[in-house]
Amino acid sequence: DTGVSQDPRHKITKRGQNVTFRCDPISEHNRLYWYRQTLGQGPEFLTYFQNEAQLEKSRLLSDRFSAERPKGSFSTLEIQRTEQGDSAMYLCASSFVVPTQYFGPGTRLTVL
Amino acid sequence: TQLLEQSPQFLSIQEGENLTVYCNSSSVFSSLQWYRQEPGEGPVLLVTVVTGGEVKKLKRLTFQFGDARKDSSLHITAAQPGDTGLYLCAGGWRDDKIIFGKGTRLHILP
C-alpha cells in the first residue's frame, strides 16, 4: 500500500499562468476528494469524485478551477489564470469506507 | 452550516505533562475523525469514532466522542516532543463528506 501520492509537491507560478496538479489515490479507493488549505485554517472541501463521476463542487471552486478523474483512478486539478489568492496547499484524499479519508502529502502552490 | 470549533488554538507545554484538546459543534455528526498534520505535509489519520460516548485509545492518546455526537476530545498522557503538530478534528455530516476545524497547534517543549 503506497498511500495517496500527489505531484508536484511544490509549484511556483506567475499570476495569470495555468497550473495542473495530479493525485493518485490508494488503488482500491473509489472516492477521491480535493481540498484547499491556507495558513491557520483546516482543509476546505473543493470537490469529490466517486469513480469517474464528479458528484459535488464547493462554491470555493470558481470557474477557473476544473477537476477530472477520467478513468476513475488518478485525478487532476487545473487552475486557469492563477491569482495570488490561489496560493495555498492543495490536498487530495481518497476513501473506500466512508467517512474515513486518507490524505496525500499535498501540493504547495505559490502564485507570484 | 456545520461548524467545528477547536480549542485551544495553541498549546505549549513541557514534556511529560498531560493535556486535553477539544472539538465542539452545535451540529450532530455521524462520525468524528482526528488527524495530525506536520508542516508541509498532509493530515495523517489518527482515529475515527462513530458511536456517541465511544472512547478509543491509541497508545498515550485517548479519544472520546460526546454522547450527543456534537463534540469530541483528545487527551494525551505524558506528552513527548514527537507529539508536536497540528491536531485537526473533522466531522462527518453526510456519508461522503467531512468538514474540518481550524486545528489546535501543539508544541511540546523538551
Side-chain angles (χ1 to χ4, degrees), chain B residues 44-59:
Chain B
V44 175
L45 179 69
L46 298 174
V47 77
T48 298
V49 286
V50 296
T51 305
E54 183 175 3
V55 177
K56 281 193 175 179
K57 292 191 175 183
L58 185 66
K59 297 183 181 178

Side-chain angles (χ1 to χ4, degrees), chain B residues 17-69:
Chain B
E17 293 185 355
N18 301 334
L19 67 108
T20 302
V21 298
Y22 301 92
C23 175
N24 295 293
S25 176
S26 58
S27 301
V28 176
F29 291 99
S30 57
S31 67
L32 204 293
Q33 289 82 46
W34 283 92
Y35 293 82
R36 185 172 73 196
Q37 185 177 26
E38 301 198 18
E41 299 293 331
V44 175
L45 179 69
L46 298 174
V47 77
T48 298
V49 286
V50 296
T51 305
E54 183 175 3
V55 177
K56 281 193 175 179
K57 292 191 175 183
L58 185 66
K59 297 183 181 178
R60 294 176 294 99
L61 278 60
T62 301
F63 305 86
Q64 183 163 11
F65 201 11
D67 291 342
R69 291 186 286 128

Side-chain angles (χ1 to χ4, degrees), chain A residues 31 37 48 56 98-99, chain B residues 31 35 37 94-97:
Chain A
R31 294 174 189 247
Q37 186 177 24
Y48 92 98
E56 187 169 346
V98 294
Chain B
S31 67
Y35 293 82
Q37 185 177 26
R94 289 195 334 228
D95 280 346
D96 48 13
K97 284 180 64 176

Side-chain angles (χ1 to χ4, degrees), chain A residues 9 31 33 35 37 40-45 48 55-56 89 91 98-106 108, chain B residues 30-31 33 35 37 40-43 45 48 50 86 88 92-98 100-103 105:
Chain A
R9 293 292 311 275
R31 294 174 189 247
Y33 304 80
Y35 293 84
Q37 186 177 24
Q41 302 292 323
E44 295 174 295
F45 170 80
Y48 92 98
L55 295 186
E56 187 169 346
M89 174 77 90
L91 293 163
V98 294
T100 300
Q101 297 181 19
Y102 296 90
F103 282 80
R108 168 75 63 190
Chain B
S30 57
S31 67
Q33 289 82 46
Y35 293 82
Q37 185 177 26
E41 299 293 331
L45 179 69
T48 298
V50 296
L86 178 67
L88 294 160
W93 60 281
R94 289 195 334 228
D95 280 346
D96 48 13
K97 284 180 64 176
I98 59 176
F100 283 85
K102 293 184 179 182
R105 189 162 299 281

